[in-house]
Amino acid sequence: MQTALTASEESRVHEIKDILHRHPELSWKEFETTRLIKEELTKLAHIEIQEGYLPTGVIAVLKGGKPGKTVALRADIDALACTEESGVAHPSEVEGVAHTCGHDFHTASLLGAAMILSRMQKHLPGTVVFIFQPAEETTNGAGKLIEAGLFDNIHMDTLFGLHNRPEIDMGKVVVKRGALMASKNNFKITLTGVGGHGSMPHKCVDPIVCAAALIQALQTVVSRNTDPLEPCVLSIGSVHGGSLENLVVDRVEMTGSIRCFSPEVMKRDMERVQTLINMTAAAYECGWTFEIKESLPALINPPDMHAIATRAAKAAMGEDAIVESQPSLATEDYSLFMEKVPGFFYWLGVGHKEEPCYSWHNSRFHTDDTALKYGSALLAQSVFSANE
Ligand code: NI
């Protein structure tokens, strides 16, 4: 079954992308975006919007004319706190907010898929669930949708989603088997001591010195405790403590993250982090606390889904469209959906062949929107391929 946008649908998808791009909204504030998505879906036959989930985002269902599986298609819809410098024709009109991860591209692509599938409803097997997910950038939108009962209320057999990749040329797609994006644990460490005057360090316990030793020690978790053939990153991203040059403070706070693909690596590294905090704090006579602020599983594309996704990509984009890519240690909260339903995640090329590449979250990031037709066709085709 050939899934492609008609010329008029394609031009509407481009208009939608431009509107979304001009009016970016931060996580959990995607009210206008939500309104626009609903308005567009309401124009399409056979699509029913499901109310009662979250204040932003949209869930909608399309029942096909033939029996088949229930296939979910997901796009994220939120923007970032960033000042755009991309030089595109329709830049952000909102001060300090911009679609520098291309979720506007994902939203427009999924609306395009909805146009195609609604038009093909008579031939469409099964049911399609459209998930326009809020708050991916804060990596809690997917979790909140699960908590709101999405997967309890609607049985889904499988799930597809995509993220744009400016490093991959427009017209190409990455259909990767296995590990695609990392798991992460974001953590916060608090070290406590005894404050006092800088001239009397022997009457104080200085958590700044302890923090310095701990930061050094934590560097050995990846270099000494992790299999060198397993990708892993441990970073301390912030250190806060102290105010004056002649003061010993009583508290230092640090935040950091571990990212990797393997659950065994994560378990071992987290144990090492806690041991190093405990022992270093003891050595420097400090108190400590350790909190995990945020956790996400890795995004792993299963082998049987890889076969379906490969068929879909070839049918939607051509035999030569699939390219290889290394996985990324970035994260995606789509991985939480994949714990509920076997799914697949594509990386769609949006790179401009003749221009320098600016990656996700860069103020100059922009997508080659010629690829919108591929995003729409690929998502729509995935529904048919899952039913073959
Ligand atoms: Ni993103």
PDB file of all heavy atoms in Angstrom, residues 150-188:
ATOM      1  N   LEU A 150      -2.904   5.781  29.792  1.00  0.00           N
ATOM      2  CA  LEU A 150      -2.992   5.607  28.340  1.00  0.00           C
ATOM      3  C   LEU A 150      -2.932   4.139  27.926  1.00  0.00           C
ATOM      4  O   LEU A 150      -3.733   3.682  27.109  1.00  0.00           O
ATOM      5  CB  LEU A 150      -1.855   6.402  27.661  1.00  0.00           C
ATOM      6  CG  LEU A 150      -1.767   6.265  26.148  1.00  0.00           C
ATOM      7  CD1 LEU A 150      -3.045   6.731  25.463  1.00  0.00           C
ATOM      8  CD2 LEU A 150      -0.575   7.052  25.599  1.00  0.00           C
ATOM      9  N   PHE A 151      -1.982   3.391  28.500  1.00  0.00           N
ATOM     10  CA  PHE A 151      -1.795   2.000  28.058  1.00  0.00           C
ATOM     11  C   PHE A 151      -2.777   1.042  28.745  1.00  0.00           C
ATOM     12  O   PHE A 151      -2.934  -0.088  28.312  1.00  0.00           O
ATOM     13  CB  PHE A 151      -0.338   1.565  28.268  1.00  0.00           C
ATOM     14  CG  PHE A 151       0.598   2.297  27.344  1.00  0.00           C
ATOM     15  CD1 PHE A 151       1.101   3.549  27.670  1.00  0.00           C
ATOM     16  CD2 PHE A 151       0.939   1.747  26.118  1.00  0.00           C
ATOM     17  CE1 PHE A 151       1.942   4.233  26.807  1.00  0.00           C
ATOM     18  CE2 PHE A 151       1.770   2.417  25.244  1.00  0.00           C
ATOM     19  CZ  PHE A 151       2.280   3.669  25.591  1.00  0.00           C
ATOM     20  N   ASP A 152      -3.418   1.507  29.828  1.00  0.00           N
ATOM     21  CA  ASP A 152      -4.475   0.703  30.447  1.00  0.00           C
ATOM     22  C   ASP A 152      -5.787   0.871  29.676  1.00  0.00           C
ATOM     23  O   ASP A 152      -6.554  -0.070  29.515  1.00  0.00           O
ATOM     24  CB  ASP A 152      -4.706   1.144  31.910  1.00  0.00           C
ATOM     25  CG  ASP A 152      -3.421   1.097  32.715  1.00  0.00           C
ATOM     26  OD1 ASP A 152      -2.653   0.128  32.514  1.00  0.00           O
ATOM     27  OD2 ASP A 152      -3.176   2.005  33.520  1.00  0.00           O
ATOM     28  N   ASN A 153      -6.021   2.091  29.210  1.00  0.00           N
ATOM     29  CA  ASN A 153      -7.302   2.388  28.558  1.00  0.00           C
ATOM     30  C   ASN A 153      -7.346   1.899  27.111  1.00  0.00           C
ATOM     31  O   ASN A 153      -8.397   1.540  26.614  1.00  0.00           O
ATOM     32  CB  ASN A 153      -7.562   3.902  28.557  1.00  0.00           C
ATOM     33  CG  ASN A 153      -7.657   4.453  29.967  1.00  0.00           C
ATOM     34  OD1 ASN A 153      -7.797   3.692  30.913  1.00  0.00           O
ATOM     35  ND2 ASN A 153      -7.587   5.765  30.104  1.00  0.00           N
ATOM     36  N   ILE A 154      -6.191   1.958  26.429  1.00  0.00           N
ATOM     37  CA  ILE A 154      -6.160   1.560  25.014  1.00  0.00           C
ATOM     38  C   ILE A 154      -5.145   0.438  24.863  1.00  0.00           C
ATOM     39  O   ILE A 154      -3.958   0.635  25.136  1.00  0.00           O
ATOM     40  CB  ILE A 154      -5.754   2.750  24.109  1.00  0.00           C
ATOM     41  CG1 ILE A 154      -6.646   3.969  24.378  1.00  0.00           C
ATOM     42  CG2 ILE A 154      -5.808   2.343  22.642  1.00  0.00           C
ATOM     43  CD1 ILE A 154      -6.251   5.215  23.597  1.00  0.00           C
ATOM     44  N   HIS A 155      -5.611  -0.727  24.446  1.00  0.00           N
ATOM     45  CA  HIS A 155      -4.662  -1.808  24.175  1.00  0.00           C
ATOM     46  C   HIS A 155      -3.915  -1.501  22.881  1.00  0.00           C
ATOM     47  O   HIS A 155      -4.525  -1.199  21.867  1.00  0.00           O
ATOM     48  CB  HIS A 155      -5.390  -3.152  24.032  1.00  0.00           C
ATOM     49  CG  HIS A 155      -4.489  -4.197  23.452  1.00  0.00           C
ATOM     50  ND1 HIS A 155      -3.547  -4.854  24.213  1.00  0.00           N
ATOM     51  CD2 HIS A 155      -4.324  -4.627  22.174  1.00  0.00           C
ATOM     52  CE1 HIS A 155      -2.849  -5.668  23.426  1.00  0.00           C
ATOM     53  NE2 HIS A 155      -3.306  -5.554  22.188  1.00  0.00           N
ATOM     54  N   MET A 156      -2.610  -1.542  22.926  1.00  0.00           N
ATOM     55  CA  MET A 156      -1.804  -1.307  21.717  1.00  0.00           C
ATOM     56  C   MET A 156      -0.916  -2.515  21.476  1.00  0.00           C
ATOM     57  O   MET A 156      -0.337  -3.066  22.404  1.00  0.00           O
ATOM     58  CB  MET A 156      -0.931  -0.065  21.892  1.00  0.00           C
ATOM     59  CG  MET A 156      -1.744   1.204  22.135  1.00  0.00           C
ATOM     60  SD  MET A 156      -0.674   2.617  22.432  1.00  0.00           S
ATOM     61  CE  MET A 156      -1.663   3.533  23.605  1.00  0.00           C
ATOM     62  N   ASP A 157      -0.821  -2.912  20.190  1.00  0.00           N
ATOM     63  CA  ASP A 157       0.044  -4.046  19.842  1.00  0.00           C
ATOM     64  C   ASP A 157       1.475  -3.599  19.599  1.00  0.00           C
ATOM     65  O   ASP A 157       2.415  -4.332  19.874  1.00  0.00           O
ATOM     66  CB  ASP A 157      -0.495  -4.751  18.586  1.00  0.00           C
ATOM     67  CG  ASP A 157      -1.846  -5.386  18.860  1.00  0.00           C
ATOM     68  OD1 ASP A 157      -1.910  -6.244  19.753  1.00  0.00           O
ATOM     69  OD2 ASP A 157      -2.835  -4.986  18.209  1.00  0.00           O
ATOM     70  N   THR A 158       1.615  -2.423  19.022  1.00  0.00           N
ATOM     71  CA  THR A 158       2.956  -1.952  18.691  1.00  0.00           C
ATOM     72  C   THR A 158       2.968  -0.432  18.543  1.00  0.00           C
ATOM     73  O   THR A 158       1.911   0.207  18.542  1.00  0.00           O
ATOM     74  CB  THR A 158       3.480  -2.674  17.421  1.00  0.00           C
ATOM     75  OG1 THR A 158       4.818  -2.266  17.194  1.00  0.00           O
ATOM     76  CG2 THR A 158       2.647  -2.356  16.210  1.00  0.00           C
ATOM     77  N   LEU A 159       4.167   0.118  18.419  1.00  0.00           N
ATOM     78  CA  LEU A 159       4.342   1.575  18.529  1.00  0.00           C
ATOM     79  C   LEU A 159       5.504   2.021  17.641  1.00  0.00           C
ATOM     80  O   LEU A 159       6.536   1.331  17.593  1.00  0.00           O
ATOM     81  CB  LEU A 159       4.662   1.845  19.998  1.00  0.00           C
ATOM     82  CG  LEU A 159       5.193   3.179  20.460  1.00  0.00           C
ATOM     83  CD1 LEU A 159       4.026   4.157  20.569  1.00  0.00           C
ATOM     84  CD2 LEU A 159       5.829   3.036  21.845  1.00  0.00           C
ATOM     85  N   PHE A 160       5.342   3.145  16.949  1.00  0.00           N
ATOM     86  CA  PHE A 160       6.441   3.697  16.148  1.00  0.00           C
ATOM     87  C   PHE A 160       6.601   5.190  16.452  1.00  0.00           C
ATOM     88  O   PHE A 160       5.628   5.888  16.734  1.00  0.00           O
ATOM     89  CB  PHE A 160       6.167   3.539  14.644  1.00  0.00           C
ATOM     90  CG  PHE A 160       6.132   2.113  14.187  1.00  0.00           C
ATOM     91  CD1 PHE A 160       4.953   1.382  14.249  1.00  0.00           C
ATOM     92  CD2 PHE A 160       7.280   1.490  13.722  1.00  0.00           C
ATOM     93  CE1 PHE A 160       4.912   0.055  13.855  1.00  0.00           C
ATOM     94  CE2 PHE A 160       7.259   0.166  13.323  1.00  0.00           C
ATOM     95  CZ  PHE A 160       6.062  -0.554  13.385  1.00  0.00           C
ATOM     96  N   GLY A 161       7.830   5.647  16.359  1.00  0.00           N
ATOM     97  CA  GLY A 161       8.104   7.071  16.507  1.00  0.00           C
ATOM     98  C   GLY A 161       9.387   7.411  15.777  1.00  0.00           C
ATOM     99  O   GLY A 161      10.107   6.508  15.323  1.00  0.00           O
ATOM    100  N   LEU A 162       9.653   8.699  15.650  1.00  0.00           N
ATOM    101  CA  LEU A 162      10.900   9.099  14.992  1.00  0.00           C
ATOM    102  C   LEU A 162      11.439  10.361  15.637  1.00  0.00           C
ATOM    103  O   LEU A 162      10.711  11.133  16.265  1.00  0.00           O
ATOM    104  CB  LEU A 162      10.695   9.294  13.479  1.00  0.00           C
ATOM    105  CG  LEU A 162       9.712  10.368  12.991  1.00  0.00           C
ATOM    106  CD1 LEU A 162      10.342  11.759  12.970  1.00  0.00           C
ATOM    107  CD2 LEU A 162       9.242  10.012  11.576  1.00  0.00           C
ATOM    108  N   HIS A 163      12.737  10.552  15.472  1.00  0.00           N
ATOM    109  CA  HIS A 163      13.370  11.826  15.767  1.00  0.00           C
ATOM    110  C   HIS A 163      14.156  12.233  14.540  1.00  0.00           C
ATOM    111  O   HIS A 163      14.762  11.389  13.882  1.00  0.00           O
ATOM    112  CB  HIS A 163      14.292  11.730  16.976  1.00  0.00           C
ATOM    113  CG  HIS A 163      14.467  13.054  17.683  1.00  0.00           C
ATOM    114  ND1 HIS A 163      15.131  14.115  17.102  1.00  0.00           N
ATOM    115  CD2 HIS A 163      14.031  13.492  18.883  1.00  0.00           C
ATOM    116  CE1 HIS A 163      15.094  15.152  17.949  1.00  0.00           C
ATOM    117  NE2 HIS A 163      14.435  14.803  19.023  1.00  0.00           N
ATOM    118  N   ASN A 164      14.115  13.518  14.240  1.00  0.00           N
ATOM    119  CA  ASN A 164      14.936  14.052  13.158  1.00  0.00           C
ATOM    120  C   ASN A 164      16.407  13.942  13.529  1.00  0.00           C
ATOM    121  O   ASN A 164      16.756  13.916  14.707  1.00  0.00           O
ATOM    122  CB  ASN A 164      14.559  15.512  12.913  1.00  0.00           C
ATOM    123  CG  ASN A 164      15.048  16.398  14.046  1.00  0.00           C
ATOM    124  OD1 ASN A 164      16.205  16.804  14.082  1.00  0.00           O
ATOM    125  ND2 ASN A 164      14.171  16.686  15.008  1.00  0.00           N
ATOM    126  N   ARG A 165      17.284  13.872  12.509  1.00  0.00           N
ATOM    127  CA  ARG A 165      18.732  13.951  12.759  1.00  0.00           C
ATOM    128  C   ARG A 165      19.372  14.844  11.714  1.00  0.00           C
ATOM    129  O   ARG A 165      19.418  14.497  10.533  1.00  0.00           O
ATOM    130  CB  ARG A 165      19.376  12.561  12.693  1.00  0.00           C
ATOM    131  CG  ARG A 165      19.215  11.831  14.007  1.00  0.00           C
ATOM    132  CD  ARG A 165      20.439  11.138  14.486  1.00  0.00           C
ATOM    133  NE  ARG A 165      21.450  12.022  15.021  1.00  0.00           N
ATOM    134  CZ  ARG A 165      22.435  11.607  15.818  1.00  0.00           C
ATOM    135  NH1 ARG A 165      22.503  10.347  16.175  1.00  0.00           N
ATOM    136  NH2 ARG A 165      23.345  12.438  16.242  1.00  0.00           N
ATOM    137  N   PRO A 166      19.870  15.993  12.131  1.00  0.00           N
ATOM    138  CA  PRO A 166      20.495  16.904  11.167  1.00  0.00           C
ATOM    139  C   PRO A 166      21.823  16.368  10.617  1.00  0.00           C
ATOM    140  O   PRO A 166      22.264  16.814   9.562  1.00  0.00           O
ATOM    141  CB  PRO A 166      20.714  18.186  11.974  1.00  0.00           C
ATOM    142  CG  PRO A 166      20.645  17.788  13.403  1.00  0.00           C
ATOM    143  CD  PRO A 166      19.781  16.571  13.481  1.00  0.00           C
ATOM    144  N   GLU A 167      22.419  15.388  11.316  1.00  0.00           N
ATOM    145  CA  GLU A 167      23.683  14.813  10.837  1.00  0.00           C
ATOM    146  C   GLU A 167      23.458  13.862   9.655  1.00  0.00           C
ATOM    147  O   GLU A 167      24.412  13.459   8.993  1.00  0.00           O
ATOM    148  CB  GLU A 167      24.385  14.026  11.955  1.00  0.00           C
ATOM    149  CG  GLU A 167      24.828  14.865  13.142  1.00  0.00           C
ATOM    150  CD  GLU A 167      23.705  15.141  14.144  1.00  0.00           C
ATOM    151  OE1 GLU A 167      22.566  14.689  13.919  1.00  0.00           O
ATOM    152  OE2 GLU A 167      23.977  15.829  15.142  1.00  0.00           O
ATOM    153  N   ILE A 168      22.212  13.444   9.446  1.00  0.00           N
ATOM    154  CA  ILE A 168      21.882  12.510   8.360  1.00  0.00           C
ATOM    155  C   ILE A 168      21.215  13.320   7.249  1.00  0.00           C
ATOM    156  O   ILE A 168      20.344  14.147   7.510  1.00  0.00           O
ATOM    157  CB  ILE A 168      20.890  11.424   8.871  1.00  0.00           C
ATOM    158  CG1 ILE A 168      21.398  10.755  10.162  1.00  0.00           C
ATOM    159  CG2 ILE A 168      20.565  10.415   7.789  1.00  0.00           C
ATOM    160  CD1 ILE A 168      22.540   9.811  10.022  1.00  0.00           C
ATOM    161  N   ASP A 169      21.611  13.064   6.004  1.00  0.00           N
ATOM    162  CA  ASP A 169      21.071  13.829   4.879  1.00  0.00           C
ATOM    163  C   ASP A 169      19.556  13.633   4.742  1.00  0.00           C
ATOM    164  O   ASP A 169      19.042  12.532   4.969  1.00  0.00           O
ATOM    165  CB  ASP A 169      21.722  13.384   3.561  1.00  0.00           C
ATOM    166  CG  ASP A 169      23.123  13.969   3.411  1.00  0.00           C
ATOM    167  OD1 ASP A 169      23.456  14.934   4.125  1.00  0.00           O
ATOM    168  OD2 ASP A 169      23.879  13.443   2.566  1.00  0.00           O
ATOM    169  N   MET A 170      18.907  14.699   4.324  1.00  0.00           N
ATOM    170  CA  MET A 170      17.494  14.631   3.986  1.00  0.00           C
ATOM    171  C   MET A 170      17.300  13.533   2.937  1.00  0.00           C
ATOM    172  O   MET A 170      18.101  13.406   2.009  1.00  0.00           O
ATOM    173  CB  MET A 170      17.061  15.993   3.424  1.00  0.00           C
ATOM    174  CG  MET A 170      15.583  16.196   3.307  1.00  0.00           C
ATOM    175  SD  MET A 170      14.847  15.372   1.916  1.00  0.00           S
ATOM    176  CE  MET A 170      15.693  16.175   0.555  1.00  0.00           C
ATOM    177  N   GLY A 171      16.237  12.726   3.115  1.00  0.00           N
ATOM    178  CA  GLY A 171      15.976  11.632   2.177  1.00  0.00           C
ATOM    179  C   GLY A 171      16.510  10.293   2.662  1.00  0.00           C
ATOM    180  O   GLY A 171      16.214   9.258   2.082  1.00  0.00           O
ATOM    181  N   LYS A 172      17.305  10.341   3.744  1.00  0.00           N
ATOM    182  CA  LYS A 172      17.852   9.099   4.314  1.00  0.00           C
ATOM    183  C   LYS A 172      17.229   8.853   5.686  1.00  0.00           C
ATOM    184  O   LYS A 172      16.707   9.776   6.324  1.00  0.00           O
ATOM    185  CB  LYS A 172      19.374   9.198   4.460  1.00  0.00           C
ATOM    186  CG  LYS A 172      20.110   9.503   3.165  1.00  0.00           C
ATOM    187  CD  LYS A 172      20.024   8.347   2.195  1.00  0.00           C
ATOM    188  CE  LYS A 172      20.789   8.639   0.906  1.00  0.00           C
ATOM    189  NZ  LYS A 172      20.578   7.600  -0.107  1.00  0.00           N
ATOM    190  N   VAL A 173      17.329   7.613   6.135  1.00  0.00           N
ATOM    191  CA  VAL A 173      16.755   7.261   7.435  1.00  0.00           C
ATOM    192  C   VAL A 173      17.632   6.200   8.097  1.00  0.00           C
ATOM    193  O   VAL A 173      18.201   5.349   7.411  1.00  0.00           O
ATOM    194  CB  VAL A 173      15.289   6.780   7.269  1.00  0.00           C
ATOM    195  CG1 VAL A 173      15.200   5.540   6.386  1.00  0.00           C
ATOM    196  CG2 VAL A 173      14.607   6.523   8.603  1.00  0.00           C
ATOM    197  N   VAL A 174      17.742   6.287   9.415  1.00  0.00           N
ATOM    198  CA  VAL A 174      18.476   5.285  10.188  1.00  0.00           C
ATOM    199  C   VAL A 174      17.443   4.319  10.786  1.00  0.00           C
ATOM    200  O   VAL A 174      16.537   4.750  11.499  1.00  0.00           O
ATOM    201  CB  VAL A 174      19.304   5.940  11.311  1.00  0.00           C
ATOM    202  CG1 VAL A 174      19.962   4.881  12.191  1.00  0.00           C
ATOM    203  CG2 VAL A 174      20.349   6.875  10.714  1.00  0.00           C
ATOM    204  N   VAL A 175      17.585   3.035  10.431  1.00  0.00           N
ATOM    205  CA  VAL A 175      16.688   1.993  10.943  1.00  0.00           C
ATOM    206  C   VAL A 175      17.579   1.023  11.709  1.00  0.00           C
ATOM    207  O   VAL A 175      18.075   0.052  11.162  1.00  0.00           O
ATOM    208  CB  VAL A 175      15.945   1.292   9.781  1.00  0.00           C
ATOM    209  CG1 VAL A 175      14.945   0.275  10.312  1.00  0.00           C
ATOM    210  CG2 VAL A 175      15.244   2.318   8.893  1.00  0.00           C
ATOM    211  N   LYS A 176      17.824   1.334  12.954  1.00  0.00           N
ATOM    212  CA  LYS A 176      18.885   0.642  13.695  1.00  0.00           C
ATOM    213  C   LYS A 176      18.324  -0.453  14.591  1.00  0.00           C
ATOM    214  O   LYS A 176      17.395  -0.229  15.347  1.00  0.00           O
ATOM    215  CB  LYS A 176      19.665   1.657  14.541  1.00  0.00           C
ATOM    216  CG  LYS A 176      20.951   1.076  15.098  1.00  0.00           C
ATOM    217  CD  LYS A 176      21.880   2.146  15.613  1.00  0.00           C
ATOM    218  CE  LYS A 176      23.173   1.544  16.118  1.00  0.00           C
ATOM    219  NZ  LYS A 176      23.955   0.840  15.091  1.00  0.00           N
ATOM    220  N   ARG A 177      18.932  -1.607  14.492  1.00  0.00           N
ATOM    221  CA  ARG A 177      18.593  -2.713  15.380  1.00  0.00           C
ATOM    222  C   ARG A 177      19.381  -2.558  16.693  1.00  0.00           C
ATOM    223  O   ARG A 177      20.537  -2.157  16.677  1.00  0.00           O
ATOM    224  CB  ARG A 177      19.009  -4.013  14.694  1.00  0.00           C
ATOM    225  CG  ARG A 177      18.737  -5.284  15.464  1.00  0.00           C
ATOM    226  CD  ARG A 177      19.674  -6.376  15.007  1.00  0.00           C
ATOM    227  NE  ARG A 177      19.446  -6.761  13.621  1.00  0.00           N
ATOM    228  CZ  ARG A 177      18.847  -7.891  13.261  1.00  0.00           C
ATOM    229  NH1 ARG A 177      18.437  -8.730  14.170  1.00  0.00           N
ATOM    230  NH2 ARG A 177      18.690  -8.183  11.996  1.00  0.00           N
ATOM    231  N   GLY A 178      18.723  -2.837  17.807  1.00  0.00           N
ATOM    232  CA  GLY A 178      19.429  -2.812  19.096  1.00  0.00           C
ATOM    233  C   GLY A 178      19.504  -1.412  19.691  1.00  0.00           C
ATOM    234  O   GLY A 178      18.623  -0.580  19.481  1.00  0.00           O
ATOM    235  N   ALA A 179      20.603  -1.166  20.424  1.00  0.00           N
ATOM    236  CA  ALA A 179      20.724   0.078  21.191  1.00  0.00           C
ATOM    237  C   ALA A 179      20.749   1.300  20.282  1.00  0.00           C
ATOM    238  O   ALA A 179      21.562   1.386  19.373  1.00  0.00           O
ATOM    239  CB  ALA A 179      21.990   0.040  22.035  1.00  0.00           C
ATOM    240  N   LEU A 180      19.860   2.248  20.526  1.00  0.00           N
ATOM    241  CA  LEU A 180      19.817   3.481  19.744  1.00  0.00           C
ATOM    242  C   LEU A 180      20.113   4.688  20.631  1.00  0.00           C
ATOM    243  O   LEU A 180      20.893   5.556  20.258  1.00  0.00           O
ATOM    244  CB  LEU A 180      18.439   3.649  19.098  1.00  0.00           C
ATOM    245  CG  LEU A 180      18.311   4.837  18.141  1.00  0.00           C
ATOM    246  CD1 LEU A 180      19.049   4.557  16.831  1.00  0.00           C
ATOM    247  CD2 LEU A 180      16.855   5.161  17.852  1.00  0.00           C
ATOM    248  N   MET A 181      19.486   4.747  21.812  1.00  0.00           N
ATOM    249  CA  MET A 181      19.698   5.891  22.709  1.00  0.00           C
ATOM    250  C   MET A 181      19.870   5.377  24.146  1.00  0.00           C
ATOM    251  O   MET A 181      19.417   4.298  24.497  1.00  0.00           O
ATOM    252  CB  MET A 181      18.539   6.884  22.576  1.00  0.00           C
ATOM    253  CG  MET A 181      18.432   7.386  21.133  1.00  0.00           C
ATOM    254  SD  MET A 181      17.179   8.642  20.859  1.00  0.00           S
ATOM    255  CE  MET A 181      17.997  10.094  21.502  1.00  0.00           C
ATOM    256  N   ALA A 182      20.538   6.191  24.954  1.00  0.00           N
ATOM    257  CA  ALA A 182      21.057   5.714  26.240  1.00  0.00           C
ATOM    258  C   ALA A 182      20.017   5.718  27.357  1.00  0.00           C
ATOM    259  O   ALA A 182      18.992   6.391  27.283  1.00  0.00           O
ATOM    260  CB  ALA A 182      22.230   6.590  26.657  1.00  0.00           C
ATOM    261  N   SER A 183      20.338   4.958  28.403  1.00  0.00           N
ATOM    262  CA  SER A 183      19.654   5.110  29.690  1.00  0.00           C
ATOM    263  C   SER A 183      20.389   6.199  30.458  1.00  0.00           C
ATOM    264  O   SER A 183      21.558   6.477  30.188  1.00  0.00           O
ATOM    265  CB  SER A 183      19.697   3.806  30.483  1.00  0.00           C
ATOM    266  OG  SER A 183      21.029   3.459  30.788  1.00  0.00           O
ATOM    267  N   LYS A 184      19.693   6.821  31.405  1.00  0.00           N
ATOM    268  CA  LYS A 184      20.399   7.801  32.233  1.00  0.00           C
ATOM    269  C   LYS A 184      19.856   7.813  33.649  1.00  0.00           C
ATOM    270  O   LYS A 184      18.690   7.502  33.895  1.00  0.00           O
ATOM    271  CB  LYS A 184      20.325   9.200  31.627  1.00  0.00           C
ATOM    272  CG  LYS A 184      19.017   9.924  31.872  1.00  0.00           C
ATOM    273  CD  LYS A 184      19.105  11.393  31.499  1.00  0.00           C
ATOM    274  CE  LYS A 184      17.719  12.017  31.529  1.00  0.00           C
ATOM    275  NZ  LYS A 184      17.658  13.338  30.950  1.00  0.00           N
ATOM    276  N   ASN A 185      20.733   8.141  34.574  1.00  0.00           N
ATOM    277  CA  ASN A 185      20.355   8.480  35.941  1.00  0.00           C
ATOM    278  C   ASN A 185      20.924   9.862  36.228  1.00  0.00           C
ATOM    279  O   ASN A 185      22.139  10.039  36.213  1.00  0.00           O
ATOM    280  CB  ASN A 185      20.942   7.480  36.947  1.00  0.00           C
ATOM    281  CG  ASN A 185      20.048   6.276  37.140  1.00  0.00           C
ATOM    282  OD1 ASN A 185      18.851   6.325  36.857  1.00  0.00           O
ATOM    283  ND2 ASN A 185      20.628   5.189  37.604  1.00  0.00           N
ATOM    284  N   ASN A 186      20.059  10.821  36.464  1.00  0.00           N
ATOM    285  CA  ASN A 186      20.516  12.135  36.928  1.00  0.00           C
ATOM    286  C   ASN A 186      20.515  12.104  38.448  1.00  0.00           C
ATOM    287  O   ASN A 186      19.539  11.655  39.052  1.00  0.00           O
ATOM    288  CB  ASN A 186      19.562  13.245  36.476  1.00  0.00           C
ATOM    289  CG  ASN A 186      19.691  13.526  34.999  1.00  0.00           C
ATOM    290  OD1 ASN A 186      20.568  12.993  34.328  1.00  0.00           O
ATOM    291  ND2 ASN A 186      18.807  14.357  34.480  1.00  0.00           N
ATOM    292  N   PHE A 187      21.582  12.587  39.067  1.00  0.00           N
ATOM    293  CA  PHE A 187      21.657  12.502  40.526  1.00  0.00           C
ATOM    294  C   PHE A 187      22.098  13.824  41.150  1.00  0.00           C
ATOM    295  O   PHE A 187      22.620  14.713  40.472  1.00  0.00           O
ATOM    296  CB  PHE A 187      22.591  11.364  40.955  1.00  0.00           C
ATOM    297  CG  PHE A 187      23.988  11.456  40.384  1.00  0.00           C
ATOM    298  CD1 PHE A 187      24.929  12.315  40.930  1.00  0.00           C
ATOM    299  CD2 PHE A 187      24.353  10.662  39.298  1.00  0.00           C
ATOM    300  CE1 PHE A 187      26.212  12.392  40.408  1.00  0.00           C
ATOM    301  CE2 PHE A 187      25.635  10.737  38.761  1.00  0.00           C
ATOM    302  CZ  PHE A 187      26.570  11.614  39.309  1.00  0.00           C
ATOM    303  N   LYS A 188      21.849  13.901  42.451  1.00  0.00           N
ATOM    304  CA  LYS A 188      22.274  15.067  43.228  1.00  0.00           C
ATOM    305  C   LYS A 188      23.016  14.563  44.464  1.00  0.00           C
ATOM    306  O   LYS A 188      22.528  13.659  45.157  1.00  0.00           O
ATOM    307  CB  LYS A 188      21.051  15.885  43.653  1.00  0.00           C
ATOM    308  CG  LYS A 188      21.399  17.109  44.494  1.00  0.00           C
ATOM    309  CD  LYS A 188      20.129  17.894  44.822  1.00  0.00           C
ATOM    310  CE  LYS A 188      20.425  18.991  45.829  1.00  0.00           C
ATOM    311  NZ  LYS A 188      19.200  19.692  46.232  1.00  0.00           N
TER     312      LYS A 188
END
